[in-house]
Amino acid sequence: MACQLPAEAGTPLSRWSCPELAREAMSRGIASVSASTVRRWLDQDAIKPWQHRSWIFITDPDFRPKAARVLDLYARSWDGEPIGADEYVISADEKTSIQARCRCHPTLAPGQARAMRVNHTYGRGGALAYLAAYDVHHAKVFGRTEARTGIEPFMALVAQVMSQEPYASAKRVFWIADNGSSHRGTKAADRLAAAFPNAVLVHTPVHASWLNQVEIYFSVVQHKVVSPNDFTNLTQVRDRLGDFEDRYNATAQPFQWRFTTSDLDDLLARLDRHTTDHQEESSAAQPD
């Protein structure tokens, strides 16, 4: 029962809890059990129906070649050839709508047996975007804040990086980006190359931002800088982000990226098997 969706049993729930499973078992006449007993049984089999994870089907027809190019760059190769010491890989993106939420009462520091306390009510002080470019192999972050995202803010980030050494005189600088509107398609690649001839824009597949290493850095920023959000104004947000960037760059090491093209092929093979099995199950369930 716990491995069946509640809706399949005609129960108006999105997911099971132990008390709801105990109640359902009693209503079906299966057994008279307590919620704690159900919890113990499920724990023995590592079944947790109250948890859920989201996922998405691959929709990009060129997913494999696009993903492989990104993974090859992480492994310091391009078109089957090693990239040189004078070539660099930059992972870039925008973190949108970082708000300045001024709490109506001061945040209280943690104490003995007491967590930090943040007032729930706040005043809005506006929002800004944080754009960052991460040098994958040298663990160097270049960031800037903007009032909004768009082509001009993104190109300003590119210029910020490409106007300084060693990138200005590098043989090639590969820019890995997702398919956001600020840097989408061949027009964005042409725009980048026109402004900086040694820059090469490389897109991740559609709906595959998880392949972009700068997202790991943004996750660090979210946990260490933004949450809990308690800023008096946007100036304080900008200062905090800039100071953290300096702090991060002082000790950062490259991410230990372990997902390779071999792992990619294994993943795609598992997805193909899953899709095939699902189609066969659906066909078998159809009435004659």
Side-chain angles (χ1 to χ4, degrees):
M1 190 191 307
C3 294
Q4 182 184 35
L5 294 176
E8 295 176 358
T11 306
L13 299 171
S14 61
R15 48 189 167 170
W16 292 116
S17 65
C18 291
E20 291 289 357
L21 280 168
R23 178 183 175 184
E24 185 71 13
M26 293 177 63
S27 67
R28 293 191 193 184
I30 297 174
S32 178
V33 293
S34 66
S36 60
T37 299
V38 172
R39 185 175 294 106
R40 185 173 66 253
W41 288 347
L42 295 183
D43 184 64
Q44 291 172 355
D45 289 326
I47 298 173
K48 301 177 181 179
W50 48 86
Q51 295 184 355
H52 76 279
R53 296 176 63 182
S54 62
W55 55 279
I56 187 170
F57 266 121
I58 292 174
T59 58
D60 193 326
D62 298 321
F63 186 93
R64 203 284 174 187
K66 289 180 180 178
R69 290 202 307 170
V70 174
L71 296 175
D72 285 343
L73 284 173
Y74 292 160
R76 300 194 63 86
S77 70
W78 178 255
D79 288 341
E81 298 292 333
I83 62 175
D86 60 343
E87 296 179 290
Y88 299 86
V89 178
I90 300 292
S91 173
D93 201 5
E94 307 109 339
K95 184 173 177 59
T96 60
S97 191
I98 300 179
Q99 298 184 49
R101 296 178 177 177
C102 184
R103 304 292 167 171
C104 296
H105 294 278
T107 295
L108 301 178
Q112 187 175 15
R114 188 188 72 224
M116 178 194 298
R117 297 181 181 180
V118 181
N119 184 240
H120 178 72
T121 56
Y122 56 85
R124 297 181 183 274
L128 53 74
Y130 179 45
L131 287 73
Y134 174 73
D135 187 324
V136 169
H137 299 120
H138 299 87
K140 175 75 172 179
V141 175
F142 304 87
R144 62 187 299 115
T145 56
E146 299 281 357
R148 60 185 61 85
T149 60
I151 293 175
E152 291 186 5
F154 181 76
M155 289 304 295
L157 175 68
V158 174
Q160 177 181 336
V161 176
M162 298 299 293
S163 62
Q164 58 183 290
E165 296 296 343
Y167 312 101
S169 58
K171 178 181 178 181
R172 284 182 300 191
V173 181
F174 297 95
W175 282 76
I176 298 173
D178 62 18
N179 295 273
S181 59
S182 304
H183 35 72
R184 179 189 301 154
T186 56
K187 287 185 177 180
D190 295 341
R191 186 186 311 117
L192 197 71
F196 302 97
N198 61 337
V200 180
L201 184 61
V202 180
H203 287 107
T204 64
V206 176
H207 299 314
S209 292
W210 55 273
L211 284 171
N212 203 342
Q213 286 197 24
V214 75
E215 300 297 342
I216 305 175
Y217 171 72
F218 281 152
S219 177
V220 174
V221 169
Q222 181 65 37
H223 288 290
K224 292 191 173 185
V225 183
V226 178
S227 299
N229 190 308
D230 186 7
F231 298 99
T232 304
N233 50 48
L234 289 180
T235 298
Q236 194 176 55
V237 178
R238 292 189 184 95
D239 292 344
R240 179 80 62 83
L241 288 169
D243 291 343
F244 177 78
E245 191 177 302
D246 294 337
R247 179 188 179 93
Y248 182 88
N249 284 333
T251 59
Q253 297 292 325
F255 298 127
Q256 296 181 11
W257 186 270
R258 295 187 176 92
F259 191 82
T260 66
T261 51
S262 296
D263 298 316
L264 173 65
D265 289 335
D266 290 341
L267 172 63
L268 295 177
R270 292 200 306 272
L271 291 175
D272 286 340
R273 290 195 297 270
H274 171 79
T275 303
T276 301
D277 292 344
H278 184 71
Q279 290 174 344
E280 291 177 351
E281 291 174 359
S282 300
S283 298
Q286 294 294 326
D288 293 335

